[in-house]
């Protein structure tokens, strides 16, 4: 009988590549925003701390201890984050549906290829694939290194402290400098409003601003009605007057910028601008991007968002706003009425653009 069998080298590497692809596709734990995680627990904590941050915004910071106020509980924690996790996971402040809306549905087949029928030997001989497994481990480590290298290192413009993620940068701004994440900065070049942290990140890394000098006025502070550049942004945002005005203005933001990308926390005046952002920024994401209508406080996948805009709830909310603020819809004296005959919709003068 035959002791050895010669196998073409390209057949071996073809099977290694196929096995590598299969393992990498199955074994990735992701959030819809694109972040990857080593385990399910890390993903749940990420969803809680990043995508549902505002739900727990009323819990005070810098307390000596944090006590659960739920009936018949009374547990105490030394960290705010532990109390939030306790409320979310033990008292079901977040439902499984809340988490699932940020978990991408599997779009890859998990069925194993018929490796027997594709055996490189083709004559009943077998190959020890320990070497290919080692190759997979090396590839996974290389991927992790590249993932870490791609993480943006942010230097705080107010105190020069270095932060290793945008979430840490936002927490640092709020805890150390009292800068909350109100979307009061309008990038006039890109036509969206967002928070100080997002604005700083956008100006430092955005392609549309790459060749502009730092002194160029490309921003407007919506609550203070002041033109800003990257040079003047941090100093202005850190003033007490701005912080007070931002807290007041955020209640009126959605009269103008009422549609947002949930993953990026960018606010747009119209769905046209929102759709353009999703198509350019999230075109390579496997999971569908979630977008939100703040007039109705409703989030939907981008493909289904048009259905919401034509549904009874949205129409009712527009009619309600029109009755409360007729001057925005041209129904008061000496006002113009804005309508688009092509798109068959009426708009107030803030978001008709």
């Amino acid at each position: 009988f035959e002791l050895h069998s010669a196998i073409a080298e390209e057949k071996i590497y073809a099977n290694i590549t196929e096995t590598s692809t299969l393992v990498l596709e199955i074994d990735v734990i992701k959030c819809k925003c694109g972040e990857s995680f080593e385990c399910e627990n890390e993903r749940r904590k990420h969803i809680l701390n990043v995508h549902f941050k505002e739900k727990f915004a009323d819990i005070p910071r810098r307390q000596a201890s944090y006590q659960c106020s739920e009936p018949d509980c009374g547990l105490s924690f030394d960290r705010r984050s532990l109390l939030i996790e306790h409320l979310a996971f033990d008292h079901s402040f977040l439902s499984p549906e809340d988490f699932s809306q940020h978990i991408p549905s599997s779009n890859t087949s998990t069925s194993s290829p018929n490796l027997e029928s594709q055996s490189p030997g083709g004559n009943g001989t077998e190959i020890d694939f320990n070497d290919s497994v080692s190759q997979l481990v090396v590839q996974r480590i290389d991927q992790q290194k590249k993932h870490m290298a791609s993480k943006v290192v942010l230097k705080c413009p107010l105190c020069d402290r270095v932060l290793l993620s945008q979430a840490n940068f936002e927490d640092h701004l709020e805890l150390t400098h009292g800068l909350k994440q109100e979307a009061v900065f309008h990038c006039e070049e890109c036509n969206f409003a967002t928070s100080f942290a997002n604005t700083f990140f956008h100006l430092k890394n955005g392609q549309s601003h790459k060749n502009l000098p730092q002194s160029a006025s490309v921003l407007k502070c919506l609550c203070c009605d002041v033109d800003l550049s990257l040079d003047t942004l941090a100093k202005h945002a850190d003033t007490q007057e701005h912080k007070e005005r931002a807290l007041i203005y955020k209640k009126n933001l959605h009269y103008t910028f009422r549609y947002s990308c949930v993953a990026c926390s960018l606010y747009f005046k119209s769905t046209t601008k929102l759709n353009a952002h999703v198509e350019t920024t999230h075109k390579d994401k496997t999971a569908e991007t979630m977008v939100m209508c703040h007039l109705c406080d409703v989030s939907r996948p981008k493909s289904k968002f048009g259905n919401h805009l034509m549904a009874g709830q949205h129409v009712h909310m527009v009619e309600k706003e029109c009755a409360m603020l007729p001057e925005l819809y041209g129904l008061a004296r000496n006002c113009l009425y804005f309508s688009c005959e092509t798109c068959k919709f009426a708009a107030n003068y803030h978001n008709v653009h």
Side-chain angles (χ1 to χ4, degrees):
F1 58 93
E2 198 173 40
L3 293 177
H4 302 286
S5 177
I7 299 168
E9 183 179 357
E10 56 268 20
K11 288 188 177 181
I12 297 176
Y13 283 102
N15 277 265
I16 291 174
T17 303
E18 185 174 18
T19 308
S20 170
T21 302
L22 178 67
V23 173
L24 291 174
E25 286 180 352
I26 294 174
D27 199 32
V28 173
I29 300 174
K30 281 191 172 184
C31 174
K32 277 191 175 180
C33 68
E35 287 289 321
S36 300
F37 307 93
E38 291 295 325
C39 64
E40 179 61 33
N41 191 43
E42 285 186 10
R43 176 166 67 180
R44 284 170 62 82
K45 287 185 178 180
H46 161 80
I47 293 172
L48 173 63
N49 295 322
V50 175
H51 298 296
F52 289 101
K53 192 174 182 179
E54 294 300 319
K55 187 177 181 70
F56 302 95
D58 57 336
I59 299 177
R61 299 175 183 269
R62 295 183 177 178
Q63 303 295 305
S65 64
Y66 295 87
Q67 187 167 4
C68 178
S69 59
E70 288 297 290
D72 302 323
C73 183
L75 286 178
S76 183
F77 304 89
D78 59 355
R79 290 167 55 192
R80 182 176 180 270
S81 59
L82 294 178
L83 173 61
I84 292 175
E85 289 175 14
H86 168 70
L87 292 172
F89 302 140
D90 297 335
H91 291 294
S92 301
F93 271 45
L94 295 179
S95 66
E97 290 75 20
D98 291 329
F99 284 100
S100 63
Q101 67 177 313
H102 293 282
I103 297 175
S105 57
S106 175
N107 59 355
T108 57
S109 174
T110 58
S111 59
S112 301
N114 189 349
L115 294 178
E116 184 178 353
S117 65
Q118 300 173 17
S119 173
N123 57 359
T125 59
E126 295 181 354
I127 295 178
D128 184 354
F129 273 92
N130 286 335
D131 287 340
S132 70
V133 173
S134 299
Q135 290 287 333
L136 291 181
V137 172
V138 171
Q139 289 181 26
R140 292 298 299 276
I141 292 173
D142 287 343
Q143 278 205 342
Q144 289 170 4
K145 287 181 178 178
K146 289 177 183 178
H147 179 69
M148 291 301 295
S150 68
K151 292 286 187 182
V152 177
V153 176
L154 292 165
K155 188 176 182 181
C156 176
L158 298 171
C159 66
D160 291 336
R161 181 175 175 180
V162 174
L163 291 312
L164 298 180
S165 72
Q166 190 165 354
N168 289 343
F169 182 48
E170 292 174 358
D171 288 340
H172 167 74
L173 290 172
E174 187 168 345
L175 289 171
T176 307
H177 303 294
L179 276 173
K180 298 184 182 296
Q181 300 309 308
E182 293 90 0
V184 295
F185 295 100
H186 178 210
C187 178
E188 297 178 325
E189 178 76 17
C190 306
N191 206 8
F192 62 72
T194 190
S195 65
F196 170 81
N198 270 348
T199 301
F200 181 75
F201 177 81
H202 170 68
L203 291 181
K204 293 286 282 186
N205 299 280
Q207 293 297 319
S208 58
H209 303 288
K210 205 168 186 179
N211 299 320
L212 291 176
Q214 293 194 4
S215 58
S217 296
V218 293
L219 296 172
K220 180 178 283 293
C221 176
L222 297 171
C223 60
C224 301
D225 196 25
V226 174
D227 293 327
L228 299 169
S229 65
L230 181 58
D231 282 342
T232 58
L233 173 63
K235 185 177 179 180
H236 171 78
D238 197 35
T239 62
Q240 189 60 34
E241 182 181 10
H242 166 80
K243 293 174 184 177
E244 291 173 356
R245 286 183 174 180
L247 288 173
I248 298 171
Y249 182 85
K250 71 177 184 179
K251 299 176 182 177
N252 301 319
L253 173 69
H254 301 146
Y255 287 133
T256 307
F257 297 87
R258 65 178 34 156
Y259 308 110
S260 73
C261 171
V262 175
C264 303
S265 295
L266 303 181
Y267 295 78
F268 299 87
K269 291 182 177 181
S270 68
T271 54
T272 304
K273 298 293 183 183
L274 173 63
N275 291 337
H277 161 76
V278 172
E279 288 167 6
T280 55
T281 306
H282 303 290
K283 61 181 179 181
D284 297 327
K285 297 291 176 65
T286 55
E288 192 167 6
T289 303
M290 298 293 290
V291 295
M292 187 166 187
C293 170
H294 292 272
L295 178 65
C296 307
D297 196 26
V298 166
S299 59
R300 293 282 187 273
K302 188 248 180 185
S303 63
K304 299 180 180 178
F305 196 58
N307 296 336
H308 163 72
L309 298 176
M310 294 185 290
Q313 178 187 6
H314 185 74
V315 173
H316 170 71
M317 292 302 293
V318 171
E319 291 174 348
K320 185 177 178 181
E321 182 188 59
C322 179
M324 291 174 59
L325 303 165
E327 69 278 3
L328 294 183
Y329 285 84
L331 302 180
R333 288 185 178 182
N334 303 321
C335 287
L336 296 175
Y337 181 80
F338 298 97
S339 66
C340 176
E341 291 300 322
T342 303
C343 304
K344 303 298 180 186
F345 82 102
N348 68 46
Y349 76 89
H350 283 311
N351 51 33
V352 71
H353 309 291

